Protein backbone atom coordinates (compact mmCIF):
# COMPACT_ATOMS: atom_id res chain seq x y z
CA UNK A 1 0.00 0.00 0.00
CA UNK A 2 1.48 3.30 -1.10
CA UNK A 3 0.46 6.40 0.88
CA UNK A 4 1.65 9.86 -0.15
CA UNK A 5 1.36 13.23 1.55
CA UNK A 6 1.83 16.52 -0.28
CA UNK A 7 1.27 20.18 0.49
CA UNK A 8 0.20 21.01 -3.05
CA UNK A 9 -0.07 24.79 -2.45
CA UNK A 10 -3.34 25.29 -4.38
CA UNK A 11 -5.10 22.30 -5.86
CA UNK A 12 -6.52 24.33 -8.71
CA UNK A 13 -3.23 25.95 -9.73
CA UNK A 14 -1.40 22.65 -9.40
CA UNK A 15 -4.09 20.33 -10.84
CA UNK A 16 -1.85 19.28 -13.74
CA UNK A 17 1.02 18.59 -11.35
CA UNK A 18 -1.27 16.52 -9.14
CA UNK A 19 -2.70 14.41 -11.95
CA UNK A 20 0.78 13.80 -13.36
CA UNK A 21 1.95 12.63 -9.93
CA UNK A 22 -1.03 10.28 -9.62
CA UNK A 23 -0.32 8.72 -12.99
CA UNK A 24 3.45 8.44 -12.54
CA UNK A 25 3.61 7.20 -8.94
CA UNK A 26 0.21 5.45 -8.66
CA UNK A 27 -0.29 5.89 -4.91
CA UNK A 28 -3.21 4.12 -3.26
CA UNK A 29 -3.88 7.09 -0.99
CA UNK A 30 -2.83 10.74 -1.19
CA UNK A 31 -3.11 13.22 1.67
CA UNK A 32 -3.17 16.80 0.40
CA UNK A 33 -2.71 20.04 2.32
CA UNK A 34 -3.12 23.73 1.56
CA UNK A 35 -5.56 23.07 -1.26
CA UNK A 36 -6.75 26.71 -0.94
CA UNK A 37 -10.30 26.20 -2.16
CA UNK A 38 -13.79 25.32 -1.00
CA UNK A 39 -14.97 21.75 -1.54
CA UNK A 40 -16.86 22.52 -4.76
CA UNK A 41 -13.87 24.24 -6.38
CA UNK A 42 -11.52 21.26 -5.96
CA UNK A 43 -10.58 19.67 -9.33
CA UNK A 44 -12.82 16.64 -8.73
CA UNK A 45 -13.27 15.73 -12.39
CA UNK A 46 -9.54 15.56 -13.18
CA UNK A 47 -8.71 13.52 -10.09
CA UNK A 48 -11.66 11.16 -10.46
CA UNK A 49 -10.73 10.59 -14.11
CA UNK A 50 -7.33 9.43 -12.84
CA UNK A 51 -9.09 6.73 -10.81
CA UNK A 52 -9.48 8.27 -7.35
CA UNK A 53 -12.27 8.89 -4.88
CA UNK A 54 -12.07 12.37 -3.35
CA UNK A 55 -12.84 13.64 0.15
CA UNK A 56 -12.29 17.35 0.77
CA UNK A 57 -12.35 19.62 3.80
CA UNK A 58 -11.84 22.96 2.10
CA UNK A 59 -11.73 26.63 2.94
CA UNK A 60 -11.89 29.67 0.71
CA UNK A 61 -8.51 31.15 -0.17
CA UNK A 62 -6.27 29.29 2.27
CA UNK A 63 -5.80 26.13 4.35
CA UNK A 64 -7.83 23.11 3.23
CA UNK A 65 -7.02 19.39 3.27
CA UNK A 66 -8.11 16.40 1.21
CA UNK A 67 -7.72 12.64 0.93
CA UNK A 68 -7.65 10.85 -2.43
CA UNK A 69 -8.10 7.09 -2.48
CA UNK A 70 -8.39 4.38 -5.09
CA UNK A 71 -10.87 2.63 -2.79
CA UNK A 72 -14.10 4.16 -1.44
CA UNK A 73 -13.53 5.79 1.94
CA UNK A 74 -15.42 6.87 5.06
CA UNK A 75 -14.29 10.29 6.29
CA UNK A 76 -14.44 12.57 9.32
CA UNK A 77 -13.70 16.28 8.87
CA UNK A 78 -12.15 18.50 11.51
CA UNK A 79 -9.86 17.94 14.50
CA UNK A 80 -11.79 17.38 17.76
CA UNK A 81 -11.21 19.50 20.83
CA UNK A 82 -12.31 23.01 19.86
CA UNK A 83 -15.82 23.47 18.44
CA UNK A 84 -15.04 27.13 17.68
CA UNK A 85 -12.08 26.33 15.41
CA UNK A 86 -13.22 27.00 11.84
CA UNK A 87 -9.89 26.44 10.09
CA UNK A 88 -9.91 23.50 7.66
CA UNK A 89 -6.79 21.64 8.73
CA UNK A 90 -7.73 18.00 9.39
CA UNK A 91 -9.52 15.17 7.61
CA UNK A 92 -9.47 11.48 8.50
CA UNK A 93 -10.51 8.39 6.55
CA UNK A 94 -10.72 4.63 6.88
CA UNK A 95 -9.28 3.09 3.73
CA UNK A 96 -9.97 -0.57 2.88
CA UNK A 97 -7.10 -2.47 1.29
CA UNK A 98 -6.73 -6.19 0.52
CA UNK A 99 -9.31 -7.29 3.04
CA UNK A 100 -8.00 -5.04 5.81
CA UNK A 101 -8.16 -1.31 6.53
CA UNK A 102 -5.82 1.54 7.36
CA UNK A 103 -6.90 4.75 9.08
CA UNK A 104 -5.26 7.76 7.43
CA UNK A 105 -5.35 11.43 8.43
CA UNK A 106 -4.30 14.41 6.33
CA UNK A 107 -3.30 17.33 8.53
CA UNK A 108 -2.06 20.85 7.98
CA UNK A 109 -0.58 22.08 11.22
CA UNK A 110 -0.50 25.87 11.75
CA UNK A 111 2.72 27.73 10.89
CA UNK A 112 2.59 29.74 14.11
CA UNK A 113 4.83 32.66 13.22
CA UNK A 114 5.68 35.02 14.77
CA UNK A 115 6.40 33.08 17.98
CA UNK A 116 5.32 35.96 20.24
CA UNK A 117 1.83 36.14 18.73
CA UNK A 118 -1.59 34.55 19.13
CA UNK A 119 -0.76 32.50 16.02
CA UNK A 120 1.88 30.59 17.97
CA UNK A 121 -0.48 30.00 20.89
CA UNK A 122 -2.97 28.59 18.38
CA UNK A 123 -0.29 26.32 16.91
CA UNK A 124 0.67 24.89 20.30
CA UNK A 125 -2.98 24.40 21.27
CA UNK A 126 -3.63 22.66 17.94
CA UNK A 127 -0.71 20.33 18.59
CA UNK A 128 -2.12 19.52 22.03
CA UNK A 129 -5.49 18.69 20.45
CA UNK A 130 -3.76 16.50 17.85
CA UNK A 131 -1.91 14.62 20.58
CA UNK A 132 -5.13 14.06 22.53
CA UNK A 133 -6.94 12.79 19.43
CA UNK A 134 -4.01 10.59 18.44
CA UNK A 135 -3.98 9.05 21.92
CA UNK A 136 -7.63 8.15 21.50
CA UNK A 137 -7.06 6.68 18.02
CA UNK A 138 -4.22 4.50 19.27
CA UNK A 139 -6.66 2.74 21.59
CA UNK A 140 -8.30 1.29 18.47
CA UNK A 141 -5.09 -0.74 17.91
CA UNK A 142 -5.29 -0.49 14.13
CA UNK A 143 -2.87 0.65 11.40
CA UNK A 144 -2.90 4.44 11.58
CA UNK A 145 -0.99 7.01 9.52
CA UNK A 146 -0.96 10.70 10.52
CA UNK A 147 0.43 12.39 7.42
CA UNK A 148 0.81 15.97 6.38
CA UNK A 149 2.51 19.31 6.64
CA UNK A 150 3.35 19.56 10.32
CA UNK A 151 5.25 22.84 10.04
CA UNK A 152 7.70 21.25 12.47
CA UNK A 153 11.47 20.86 12.07
CA UNK A 154 12.02 17.88 14.40
CA UNK A 155 15.82 18.13 14.73
CA UNK A 156 18.84 20.15 13.62
CA UNK A 157 19.60 17.75 10.77
CA UNK A 158 16.19 18.53 9.29
CA UNK A 159 17.05 22.07 8.22
CA UNK A 160 19.85 23.81 6.36
CA UNK A 161 20.70 26.23 9.21
CA UNK A 162 19.75 25.10 12.75
CA UNK A 163 20.86 28.36 14.37
CA UNK A 164 18.66 30.42 12.07
CA UNK A 165 15.57 28.30 12.79
CA UNK A 166 16.10 27.74 16.53
CA UNK A 167 13.72 30.53 17.54
CA UNK A 168 11.27 30.22 14.65
CA UNK A 169 7.83 28.72 15.31
CA UNK A 170 8.81 25.71 13.18
CA UNK A 171 11.96 24.84 15.12
CA UNK A 172 11.58 26.31 18.58
CA UNK A 173 12.12 24.15 21.68
CA UNK A 174 8.40 24.30 22.53
CA UNK A 175 7.39 23.13 19.06
CA UNK A 176 9.89 20.29 19.08
CA UNK A 177 8.84 19.23 22.57
CA UNK A 178 5.22 18.88 21.49
CA UNK A 179 6.23 16.91 18.41
CA UNK A 180 8.25 14.57 20.64
CA UNK A 181 5.26 14.21 22.94
CA UNK A 182 3.22 13.04 19.96
CA UNK A 183 5.91 10.57 18.91
CA UNK A 184 6.26 9.32 22.47
CA UNK A 185 2.69 8.05 22.39
CA UNK A 186 4.12 5.22 20.31
CA UNK A 187 4.34 6.65 16.79
CA UNK A 188 7.19 6.07 14.36
CA UNK A 189 8.50 8.79 12.02
CA UNK A 190 8.36 6.82 8.77
CA UNK A 191 11.21 8.59 7.02
CA UNK A 192 13.55 8.45 10.00
CA UNK A 193 12.74 4.76 10.43
CA UNK A 194 14.22 4.15 6.99
CA UNK A 195 17.03 6.74 6.85
CA UNK A 196 19.16 8.69 9.32
CA UNK A 197 20.67 10.83 6.56
CA UNK A 198 20.79 14.57 7.27
CA UNK A 199 19.65 17.04 4.65
CA UNK A 200 16.55 15.20 3.44
CA UNK A 201 14.10 18.04 2.84
CA UNK A 202 10.46 18.33 1.80
CA UNK A 203 10.20 22.13 1.50
CA UNK A 204 12.20 24.86 -0.22
CA UNK A 205 11.01 28.47 -0.07
CA UNK A 206 10.31 30.34 -3.29
CA UNK A 207 12.57 33.20 -2.15
CA UNK A 208 16.32 33.76 -2.26
CA UNK A 209 17.13 30.83 -4.51
CA UNK A 210 16.37 28.32 -1.74
CA UNK A 211 15.79 25.44 -4.17
CA UNK A 212 18.89 26.17 -6.24
CA UNK A 213 21.01 26.46 -3.09
CA UNK A 214 19.34 23.47 -1.37
CA UNK A 215 18.30 25.59 1.61
CA UNK A 216 15.47 23.28 2.61
CA UNK A 217 13.47 22.03 5.56
CA UNK A 218 11.94 18.67 6.49
CA UNK A 219 8.52 19.70 7.75
CA UNK A 220 6.23 17.14 6.07
CA UNK A 221 5.93 13.90 8.02
CA UNK A 222 4.11 10.58 8.19
CA UNK A 223 3.75 9.17 11.70
CA UNK A 224 2.84 5.51 11.99
CA UNK A 225 1.09 3.66 14.81
CA UNK A 226 2.82 0.46 15.96
CA UNK A 227 0.46 -1.60 13.78
CA UNK A 228 1.35 0.50 10.71
CA UNK A 229 5.05 0.63 11.58
CA UNK A 230 5.15 -3.17 11.58
CA UNK A 231 4.13 -3.01 7.92
CA UNK A 232 6.60 -0.30 6.87
CA UNK A 233 8.63 -1.18 3.77
CA UNK A 234 10.06 2.18 2.71
CA UNK A 235 9.68 5.95 2.91
CA UNK A 236 11.06 8.43 0.42
CA UNK A 237 10.83 12.02 -0.79
CA UNK A 238 9.91 12.76 -4.41
CA UNK A 239 12.44 15.58 -4.58
CA UNK A 240 12.33 16.06 -8.36
CA UNK A 241 8.83 17.58 -8.20
CA UNK A 242 10.33 20.80 -6.83
CA UNK A 243 12.21 21.28 -10.11
CA UNK A 244 9.08 21.27 -12.27
CA UNK A 245 7.61 24.36 -13.89
CA UNK A 246 5.60 26.44 -11.37
CA UNK A 247 5.87 23.79 -8.62
CA UNK A 248 4.58 23.71 -5.11
CA UNK A 249 7.21 24.75 -2.56
CA UNK A 250 6.71 21.30 -0.97
CA UNK A 251 7.33 17.85 -2.48
CA UNK A 252 5.53 14.56 -1.81
CA UNK A 253 6.58 12.17 0.92
CA UNK A 254 5.73 8.57 0.00
CA UNK A 255 5.34 5.71 2.46
CA UNK A 256 5.00 2.07 1.43
CA UNK A 257 3.34 -0.49 3.71
CA UNK A 258 3.04 -4.25 3.30
Amino acid sequence: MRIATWNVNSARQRADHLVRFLKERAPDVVCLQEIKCVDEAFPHAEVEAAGYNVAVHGQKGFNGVAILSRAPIETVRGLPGDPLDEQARYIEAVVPHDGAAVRVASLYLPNGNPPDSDKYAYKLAWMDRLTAHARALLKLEEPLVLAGDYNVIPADEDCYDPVLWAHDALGSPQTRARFRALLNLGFVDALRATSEEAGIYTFWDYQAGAWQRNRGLRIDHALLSPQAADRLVDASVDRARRGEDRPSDHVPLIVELR
Side-chain angles (χ1 to χ4, degrees):
M1 186 177 191
R2 183 173 297 157
I3 301 172
T5 180
W6 190 8
N7 179 323
V8 73
N9 192 8
S10 178
R12 289 182 296 176
Q13 290 186 20
R14 241 70 70 176
D16 290 345
H17 295 71
L18 176 57
V19 171
R20 184 164 58 251
F21 172 72
L22 296 176
K23 292 180 177 179
E24 292 177 356
R25 300 305 300 264
D28 297 289
V29 181
V30 181
C31 299
L32 298 177
Q33 302 86 43
E34 207 172 355
I35 62 173
K36 294 184 177 179
C37 64
V38 295
D39 296 11
E40 297 78 11
F42 188 87
H44 288 267
E46 296 92 324
V47 173
E48 290 170 0
Y52 289 83
N53 298 275
V54 180
V56 181
H57 182 33
Q59 190 168 358
K60 186 177 181 179
F62 63 104
N63 295 334
V65 288
I67 295 178
L68 318 180
S69 171
R70 290 192 177 278
I73 52 177
E74 300 178 7
T75 58
V76 176
R77 293 165 174 81
L79 181 66
D82 184 357
L84 299 180
D85 186 4
E86 297 181 348
Q87 296 194 26
R89 294 184 175 275
Y90 186 91
I91 186 170
E92 181 183 308
V94 175
V95 183
H97 188 77
D98 286 346
V102 177
R103 187 177 298 270
V104 179
S106 176
L107 63 96
Y108 179 37
L109 208 147
N111 177 286
N113 278 303
D116 58 352
S117 69
D118 291 343
K119 292 181 178 180
Y120 191 53
Y122 173 66
K123 177 185 185 122
L124 296 181
W126 205 96
M127 295 183 80
D128 289 340
R129 287 165 54 201
L130 177 62
T131 300
H133 184 54
R135 183 182 291 110
L137 291 179
L138 286 173
K139 293 179 181 179
L140 300 174
E141 297 186 351
E142 61 188 8
L144 167 66
V145 181
L146 302 179
D149 177 0
Y150 280 73
N151 271 314
V152 173
I153 303 167
D156 287 354
E157 57 266 26
D158 296 315
C159 65
Y160 66 90
D161 187 341
V163 174
L164 179 64
W165 290 91
H167 302 291
D168 186 273
L170 277 65
S172 74
Q174 298 96 317
T175 298
R176 288 183 173 182
R178 277 172 166 78
F179 188 75
R180 286 195 301 272
L182 179 59
L183 284 172
N184 289 342
L185 294 178
F187 286 97
V188 170
D189 181 337
L191 187 66
R192 281 295 171 233
T194 59
S195 175
E196 297 181 356
E197 180 183 351
I200 301 177
Y201 305 137
T202 62
F203 167 87
W204 295 261
D205 195 272
Y206 290 126
Q207 306 299 319
W211 165 245
Q212 292 78 5
R213 301 164 65 189
N214 197 31
R215 295 168 67 90
L217 309 173
R218 187 175 79 95
I219 56 176
D220 302 87
H221 311 295
L223 304 189
L224 313 181
S225 70
Q227 295 79 8
D230 286 345
R231 299 169 58 180
L232 179 63
V233 175
D234 192 23
S236 60
V237 173
D238 192 349
R239 191 177 188 276
R241 303 280 161 187
R242 186 61 175 81
E244 294 181 339
D245 183 48
R246 300 185 66 189
S248 170
D249 43 6
H250 295 249
V251 296
L253 169 65
I254 303 171
V255 176
E256 295 189 24
L257 305 179
R258 294 194 296 274

